[in-house]
Amino acid sequence: MSQRRYKLHRRAFLSGTSAAIVSASSLGRAFAQGAPLKVGVLLPRSGFQASIGQDCARGVELAAGILKELGYPSLQIINADTETNVEVARARAEKLIGDGAQLLMGAFDSGQSSAIAKVAEQKGIPFVINIAAAPPITEQGYKFVFRNFPTAPMILADAFANQIEIFEGAGTAPKSVVFMHVNDTFGTAMQKGSAAVMEKFKMPFKIADTISYDPAAKDLSVEVSKAKASGADGLMMVSRLNDAILITRELVKQRWTPSAILSMGPGWYEDQYLKTLGKLGDGPLSFVPWYDPNKKVSKMLEAALTKAYPDINLNTNHVYTFEALMVAADAYKRAGSADPKALADAIRKTNITDNVSTGPGISFDEKGQNSKLKNSAIQNRGGKLVTVAPKTAANAKAEVPMTPYDKRS
């Protein structure tokens, strides 16, 4: 083949096959030319977790402008709906990779994220988890799976530490609580880990009963009635949005106001909960992965959200989804290539200190877990969320006990 024909043949091949998606050497040149990294974003945009998935999607939407301002390269987002279904999540992950995704991100739910992790590891494509707390995900020896979100034991440990700080400050605490939790992967992991962690922290209350339930349940009157009958004066919760609303309405209907509602998961702090219940939504304390309001990037993210969605509070869904994309962009910038192995190697060396979440920053241990994350305690107050612990990130003092539902004007 002549030199001229070779050049023409090579040029035609590259333009006709989108080779930059699949060739490591081409990917390096594509980066140099400013080509965006293709990120497959898997979220539950339909099904009973749809509102949460859509909330996470806002974090995706806001990321582009902020990452650009911070000097990170562009990301091309390819969206997929997991439909709140583990099997669908697995199938959509495979399809995204087949469609050219060079990195996967998602999926809020531990069960769905576990399924995606298996696909990513099998295909050798980096997967950055935004939200999923089940410990086994990063205990499989995976080389392409990374989680910038605390595990259930980490959430529990920080939750109980922050509870102690709050109770000591308030001078009062529940004597006993009922532990109610969803029976999905996350809820079960939290329930299993709670006993050992509570013993370590010597909590001021005991668990009077443990009640599990289906997160897709339409009626939780029996569960609330059972909790009330236990004689406990507090509720410890691991919930999702819809069931948190159902439980609150049942508490009002059954005329029981716990002295404290202690949530260690989503649901109770979400905007839809606050808007749906109004004053009846005030009071619950959520002990969750959160953000440090004093950090520069936190202020940038909060300002961007307020501008785009004035009626929505910044929350966990936005923060950790944004940070997952920050991890992807940071790795792409340092790797100089979208080759999967090069990206994975770069993610392992992540050291982002200019971030949003509570704690010293983002880095990963040998298992692909950010083990340095810290959680916060927040309380619903007049349709807004205030941070009440730890003291280093607090902007209000906790109100304990809760105001009785029938005494709210």
Side-chain angles (χ1 to χ4, degrees), residues 92-103:
R92 296 286 159 80
E94 291 175 346
K95 185 177 188 304
L96 283 175
I97 294 171
D99 289 344
Q102 297 155 328
L103 180 146

Side-chain angles (χ1 to χ4, degrees), residues 257-331:
T257 304
S259 64
I261 295 176
L262 312 170
S263 171
M264 297 183 292
W268 300 81
Y269 63 77
E270 294 181 46
D271 284 325
Q272 192 57 50
Y273 178 90
L274 298 170
K275 291 174 182 176
T276 299
L277 295 167
K279 293 179 180 178
L280 296 177
D282 282 352
L285 289 156
S286 295
F287 301 86
V288 291
W290 203 240
Y291 64 96
D292 184 338
N294 301 311
K295 290 184 176 182
K296 181 189 76 172
V297 185
S298 295
K299 295 175 182 178
M300 293 172 67
L301 183 58
E302 190 163 24
L305 180 70
T306 300
K307 182 177 180 180
Y309 301 96
D311 298 327
I312 293 178
N313 296 306
L314 184 64
N315 65 37
T316 300
N317 302 329
H318 312 128
V319 168
Y320 285 89
T321 301
F322 167 81
E323 285 198 342
L325 293 178
M326 174 183 270
V327 168
D330 174 73

